[in-house]
Amino acid sequence: MSNASKTVSDVINARFDTLTRAEKQLAKSLLDNYPVSGLGSITTVAENARVSTPTVARMVQKLGYKGYPDFQAHLHQEVEATISNPLTKHDRWASNAPGTHILNRFADTIMGNLRQTLSDLDVATFDSVAALLSERKRGLYFVGGRITGALAEYFFTHMQVIRPNTTLLSSNSSAWPQYVLNMNPGDLLIIFDIRRYEQEMVNLAAAARRHGAEIIVFTDQWATPAAKHAKHTFRVQIEAPSAWDSSVVTLFIVEALIEAVQSSTWDETSERMKTLEGLFEQTKLFRKLS
């Protein structure tokens, strides 16, 4: 992950093994309730971690920050980015918009998002998730938020053709406990949640994990709090020259996973597709040329 896209938590985790015992205690304290735990005064942060104030000052410099104010400034920037609403995003992009056509601006940004995401993505994680999705004994449950619900439904629709035992959760979060009730140990809950994270997703992930389900999360570069409960997390670059975040790279990963699962289970999948095509024929769902 490039320095420009690293969060403070990324920096802490990357440098964790180089820290002293007291610094590791501080690091764990900061990560336990991240990023809120780092927004207080240096004295408060030290007291919460049960370390000295000089320990805090030394650690943030060891992490590469000029001092505690610089460390906090980076945290504040992250918090501001994760809670940005469409109006705020639009104003920020509009004030810095280059004079090129919107198509060019979008293309440049999205290709940059794709390059950065692929650079940061662990191929082993992708392969592990594809293998998990291919195991037909596991039930698959899909859920997304107000915007990302469309991505969850898209993923579900394709996986429902490829394999049995797939479920799309209702958009009504009050119905989610019933879905968790039906989850068996080892089932997969696939969650989509990007900035302006939805608290219900955290509650759902925690409940499903307690019930024995394994969580896979698709989120942004800052990562939803629900990712704390995840077995695997895809962190995707979502910035766009718009009031809205981009779903292009997330959809790219979803479609790559669909193909990976489809290819690895082609014998079973092709039989299901033949049966499905027969059902389409019976119901005359699709128009045919005369």
Side-chain angles (χ1 to χ4, degrees):
M1 183 175 291
S2 72
N3 290 335
S5 63
K6 279 186 177 180
T7 64
V8 172
S9 64
D10 290 330
V11 175
I12 293 174
N13 283 315
R15 294 302 230 4
F16 189 81
D17 290 341
T18 69
L19 304 178
T20 66
R21 185 173 64 178
E23 290 167 350
K24 286 180 178 178
Q25 183 173 318
L26 170 60
K28 289 177 181 176
S29 175
L30 290 169
L31 293 173
D32 280 346
N33 190 27
Y34 182 86
V36 177
S37 51
L39 297 179
S41 68
I42 189 171
T43 303
T44 300
V45 168
E47 290 175 351
N48 289 341
R50 298 182 181 179
V51 298
S52 67
T53 301
T55 297
V56 180
R58 284 195 301 270
M59 191 190 81
V60 297
Q61 289 186 329
K62 186 179 288 187
L63 294 177
Y65 301 101
K66 296 176 182 177
Y68 190 71
D70 183 41
F71 169 81
Q72 273 207 327
H74 280 79
L75 274 181
H76 281 292
Q77 289 170 7
E78 281 184 42
V79 172
E80 181 183 354
T82 58
I83 64 174
S84 292
N85 61 40
L87 291 173
T88 304
K89 283 193 76 247
H90 176 272
D91 291 346
R92 186 173 72 245
W93 276 104
S95 64
N96 297 298
T100 56
H101 192 278
I102 185 61
L103 287 172
N104 294 328
R105 298 206 303 273
F106 251 88
D108 289 345
T109 302
I110 299 308
M111 286 190 287
N113 286 348
L114 181 58
R115 282 192 296 269
Q116 184 64 59
T117 300
L118 288 176
S119 173
D120 298 339
L121 194 150
D122 181 9
V123 174
T125 295
F126 180 93
D127 292 342
S128 294
V129 172
L132 289 171
L133 293 170
S134 300
E135 294 179 12
R136 299 187 172 219
K137 65 183 179 182
R138 297 178 185 269
L140 304 185
Y141 293 82
F142 298 83
V143 66
R146 187 173 70 91
I147 300 298
T148 55
L151 294 169
E153 184 174 2
Y154 183 88
F155 202 176
F156 159 76
T157 299
H158 286 77
M159 293 305 297
Q160 188 183 39
V161 174
I162 293 171
R163 48 157 293 166
N165 204 9
T166 57
T167 303
L168 178 66
L169 271 64
S170 165
S171 59
N172 181 3
S173 60
S174 65
W176 290 353
Q178 288 95 300
Y179 291 100
V180 175
L181 180 65
N182 289 328
M183 293 179 186
N184 295 312
D187 285 352
L188 304 178
L189 173 62
I190 297 93
I191 293 176
F192 291 80
D193 192 29
I194 62 171
R195 75 166 131 201
R196 302 188 83 189
Y197 314 119
E198 301 184 28
Q199 180 59 39
E200 290 87 352
M201 292 296 184
V202 183
N203 299 336
L204 172 63
R209 185 178 179 186
R210 285 194 299 268
H211 210 68
E214 297 180 1
I215 317 299
I216 296 170
V217 168
F218 289 82
T219 186
D220 52 42
Q221 55 262 46
W222 304 284
T224 168
K228 294 178 181 179
H229 302 288
K231 181 180 180 70
H232 295 296
T233 300
F234 291 104
R235 290 171 59 183
V236 178
Q237 298 289 323
I238 62 169
E239 290 282 9
S242 164
W244 305 97
D245 292 316
S246 171
S247 297
V248 173
V249 181
T250 305
L251 184 58
F252 168 86
I253 295 174
V254 165
E255 292 194 330
L257 281 170
I258 290 169
E259 172 55 25
V261 175
Q262 177 178 276
S263 296
S264 68
T265 62
W266 181 245
D267 288 344
E268 299 94 334
T269 298
S270 61
E271 288 302 315
R272 286 178 63 84
M273 294 177 74
K274 289 174 185 175
T275 302
L276 182 60
E277 289 300 317
L279 292 170
F280 287 153
E281 181 72 23
Q282 292 174 29
T283 58
K284 299 184 176 3
L285 178 63
F286 298 113
R287 177 178 176 270
K288 286 191 171 183
L289 294 176
S290 56

